[in-house]
């Protein structure tokens, strides 16, 4: 697992990023404040964002960040999200069927619990949402984000290109 293989002393992260033990501790102590993921956007600004496309809009319109990288990442996220929605439509005739699926409910209760540990109580309590269309959209946003992280997110990790984008 990542905790044992990536961030332990003398493992991949300290070697790849040339961190001393103290440097690695400082990096992790500040990671939540420094890593931009959409979760750092307060509700007053429309966040947090699971929908990466809305997050890229926020970066462009509110932060002035509009790079080739974010434009391509936005296109890729939209492809993932369309795939998820098309896939859901194959198995669930209506949004109400999606919202009623007990396994999806259990998965997202766990997801929200784990996310709350990382970013605090910023995401919605799905038990209070009555509109199945909103629940379906939330599920689609989250699943498309999962796909993005385990494919494009892992691909960019360790590559220099994202750090020198449009330099």
């Amino acid at each position: 697992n990542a905790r044992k293989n990536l961030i332990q002393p003398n493992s991949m992260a300290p070697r790849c990023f040339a961190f001393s033990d103290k440097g690695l501790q400082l990096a992790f102590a500040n990671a939540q404040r420094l890593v931009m993921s959409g979760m750092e956007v307060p509700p007053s600004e429309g966040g947090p964002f699971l929908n990466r496309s809305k997050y890229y809009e926020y970066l462009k319109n509110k932060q002035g960040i509009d790079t080739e990288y974010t434009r391509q990442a936005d296109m890729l996220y939209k492809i993932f999200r369309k795939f998820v929605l098309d896939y859901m439509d194959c198995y669930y005739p209506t949004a109400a069927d999606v919202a009623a699926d007990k396994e999806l409910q259990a998965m997202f209760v766990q997801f929200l619990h784990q996310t709350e540990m990382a970013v605090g109580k910023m995401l919605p309590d799905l038990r209070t949402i009555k509109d199945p269309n909103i629940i379906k959209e939330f599920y689609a946003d989250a699943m498309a984000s999962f796909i993005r992280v385990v494919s494009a997110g892992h691909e960019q990790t360790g590559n220099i290109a994202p750090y020198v984008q449009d330099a």
Side-chain angles (χ1 to χ4, degrees):
N1 73 32
R3 185 175 58 80
K4 290 187 177 160
N5 296 323
L6 297 177
I7 62 170
Q8 293 296 317
N10 301 317
S11 66
M12 187 174 175
R15 287 194 319 261
C16 289
F17 301 111
F19 284 132
S20 65
D21 289 345
K22 182 160 179 68
L24 188 62
Q25 289 173 350
L26 288 170
F28 275 94
N30 289 289
Q32 185 175 356
R33 183 176 56 81
L34 297 173
V35 173
M36 294 176 44
S37 67
M39 294 296 127
E40 79 280 1
V41 181
S44 62
E45 300 258 352
F49 293 109
L50 279 179
N51 181 309
R52 297 300 291 188
S53 192
K54 289 180 181 176
Y55 181 54
Y56 297 134
E57 276 181 42
Y58 166 84
L59 290 176
K60 180 179 178 181
N61 297 332
K62 300 275 186 158
Q63 303 294 319
I65 299 171
D66 181 24
T67 67
E68 188 59 33
Y69 174 80
T70 56
R71 288 189 293 273
Q72 289 182 21
D74 185 28
M75 287 188 291
L76 184 60
Y77 175 80
K78 288 175 180 173
I79 291 167
F80 292 151
R81 192 170 190 284
K82 181 179 182 327
F83 170 80
V84 168
L85 286 169
D86 289 349
Y87 188 89
M88 291 170 98
D89 288 344
C90 286
Y91 290 93
Y92 301 99
T94 68
D97 294 320
V98 173
D101 186 298
K102 297 294 183 199
E103 290 179 349
L104 281 175
Q105 290 173 8
M107 180 177 115
F108 282 96
V109 164
Q110 180 64 29
F111 165 72
L112 290 170
H113 171 73
Q114 288 179 280
T115 304
E116 184 176 332
M117 296 296 122
V119 299
K121 186 94 176 122
M122 291 178 65
L123 293 173
D125 181 352
L126 293 177
R127 296 170 296 186
T128 65
I129 298 173
K130 303 301 179 208
D131 184 342
N133 292 306
I134 293 172
I135 293 172
K136 181 180 179 182
E137 293 294 314
F138 178 85
Y139 287 175
D141 288 339
M143 286 189 265
S145 290
F146 298 161
I147 293 170
R148 184 195 63 80
V149 167
V150 300
S151 59
H154 281 127
E155 177 62 28
Q156 91 175 29
T157 301
N159 290 318
I160 191 91
Y163 303 105
V164 296
Q165 62 190 9
D166 297 342

